[in-house]
Amino acid sequence: MALSGLEIYKLTPKKNCRECGVATCMAFAMALANGKASADACPYLSPEAKAALGAAAEPPIRLVTIGKDQGKVEVGDEHVLFRHEKTFYHPTAIGITVADTRSSEEIRERVGRINELWFDRVGLCLSVNLVAVTDRGGDFAQAVRIAAEASSFPLVLVTRDPAKAAAALAAAGDRRPLLHGATAATLDAFLELAKEKGCPLTVGGALEELPELTERAAAGGFKDLVLAPAVGSTGEMLRTLTQIRRQALKKKFRPLGYPVLTEVTGDDPQDLAARASVAVAKYASVLLLDTVDPAVLLPLLTNRQDLYTDPQKPIQVEAKLWEVGSPDQDSPVYVTTNFSLTYFSVLTEIEASRIPSYLVTVDTDGTSVLTAWAAGKFGAEEIAQILEKTGAAEKVRHHKVIIPGYVAVLSGKLNQLSGWEVLVGPREATGIPNFARSRWRGEEVEAGAGSVSA
Ligand code: SF4
């Protein structure tokens, strides 16, 4: 059980010497209790006190790594129940199952489709994370060997049979897969395998059984555990996973302080996506699915991305001059902020205009046009600076810059500071195609088009 701040304080030397970086031993104790300091920071702690504090310094939910090197996936190490309290750190690892009863060719084909399950959204690559080979009575070790050859994703080996697990681990080589299938009856045999190969291991059973199983494993010196609680309905999954998270964070109950794996199955894509989204939101660390349907995975990955971005850090793109298509010296130059959603909205509409262009993004800490302008981050000075810094003047011979309609007020000052002629663009990005054709190319467009507000 973790120690409270006061209990930790009793173990400190009480010198208040500040060498640990905080003003008092009490402040150090509180930081340690909240997982924000390391016991090593105090040079005067006795070895006994350091040993006692070890548990207090551990995160309430253990960080577990699946795979190794560049392709590894980390799960756990979460500190809050709700994202708005701080942030979530390690996104749910989504694994797609491959049954060992498929032929070698079918396994290769399935794994190939899993490898292609990635999507580009607001400049970020969203993808699944794991290949889960499942023992359904076929040649399990051979299926694992094929999957390991065909994909660089970390593996999950799903079997309840320790003998098959041993053969599959040999086939997986040094990939450090997650071994999934230990129960109360087989825990000892699986623990031996996991220790020997240095792999993480799931322990499965009813919620009430899990603490005893994790304590058994911890007593034997093995802590790279993932909980696999038995759940039936989606409601039961939600209740069980929430209970585990609450016990780990609010009660600091160490035997449940591990990441959690769950599986969601079903044939109806909409229903599957909805139930899997529940698992991602609360609180699956690893989620196994038996589908390669993009209609299920894209909304699920989008949901995961939304949940696991830091609410205090807007998603942003680099502040620079972007080329859209193959612009030349007569191409228009647009300016906007580096907030990802703004950038991609503008980019999409410039592409829709079919006029190759330059797009200059100003570093506004990832805020949108009006927010940045109100905060003093998207003014004439900032735009003039980025035009100069990016060498935009050498790219075109017309020296006309198009600014968002909402900040038309910047025109005069920007012209003064930069020497560029300022054109006021549409307020909304959706107005860009017609603006580009009418104002830039002088073409006739339908009345009312391009006048959408932003
Ligand atoms: Fe106290 Fe140790 Fe920090 Fe000094 S270094 S203030 S003794 S906790």
Side-chain angles (χ1 to χ4, degrees), residues 148-227:
E149 284 167 6
S151 180
S152 58
F153 283 135
L155 302 171
V156 184
L157 312 186
V158 188
T159 179
R160 290 181 172 261
D161 182 341
K164 283 191 168 186
L169 278 171
D174 64 352
R175 297 280 289 267
R176 202 173 185 275
L178 171 63
L179 203 48
H180 173 36
T183 60
T186 57
L187 181 60
D188 292 338
F190 271 102
L191 273 175
E192 205 174 303
L193 286 173
K195 279 184 191 173
E196 186 190 327
K197 291 286 183 181
C199 303
L201 173 70
T202 69
V203 288
L207 176 58
E208 313 79 57
E209 283 182 273
L210 294 179
E212 193 259 325
L213 298 182
T214 58
E215 292 281 76
R216 256 169 70 192
F222 189 86
K223 290 190 179 175
D224 276 341
L225 297 168
V226 174
L227 307 176

Side-chain angles (χ1 to χ4, degrees), residues 12-26 28 41-45:
T12 63
K14 303 181 189 63
K15 291 159 80 86
N16 295 330
C17 65
R18 297 172 178 252
E19 288 185 39
C20 56
V22 292
T24 62
C25 293
M26 176 56 94
F28 177 72
C42 172
Y44 305 110
L45 282 173

Side-chain angles (χ1 to χ4, degrees), residues 107-108 111 133 139-151 155 157 167-173 175:
I107 292 173
R108 268 189 210 96
V111 174
V133 186
D139 188 339
F140 187 52
Q142 174 65 0
V144 169
R145 188 172 293 110
I146 295 169
E149 284 167 6
S151 180
L155 302 171
L157 312 186
L169 278 171
R175 297 280 289 267

Side-chain angles (χ1 to χ4, degrees), residues 58-135:
E58 282 181 18
I61 297 175
R62 188 176 175 82
L63 178 71
V64 172
T65 304
I66 307 168
K68 54 192 287 198
D69 303 329
Q70 299 297 323
K72 73 182 178 188
V73 171
E74 293 181 327
V75 291
D77 192 20
E78 298 296 346
H79 296 258
V80 291
L81 275 173
F82 306 106
R83 173 181 177 263
H84 63 262
E85 292 177 278
K86 193 174 184 188
T87 185
F88 293 155
Y89 292 97
H90 295 99
T92 307
I94 295 175
I96 308 298
T97 55
V98 184
D100 67 351
T101 43
R102 292 170 183 257
S103 69
S104 300
E105 206 38 57
E106 286 171 337
I107 292 173
R108 268 189 210 96
E109 195 261 332
R110 171 92 166 177
V111 174
R113 292 185 67 186
I114 295 170
N115 290 340
E116 289 166 9
L117 286 172
W118 64 270
F119 309 88
D120 189 330
R121 182 170 183 264
V122 291
L124 299 174
C125 174
L126 311 185
S127 82
V128 300
N129 312 92
L130 305 162
V131 174
V133 186
T134 56
D135 170 18

Side-chain angles (χ1 to χ4, degrees), residues 3 8 10-13 32 39 44-55:
L3 301 176
I8 294 172
K10 288 177 188 163
L11 296 168
T12 63
L32 205 54
Y44 305 110
L45 282 173
S46 67
E48 296 75 31
K50 276 195 176 172
L53 293 176

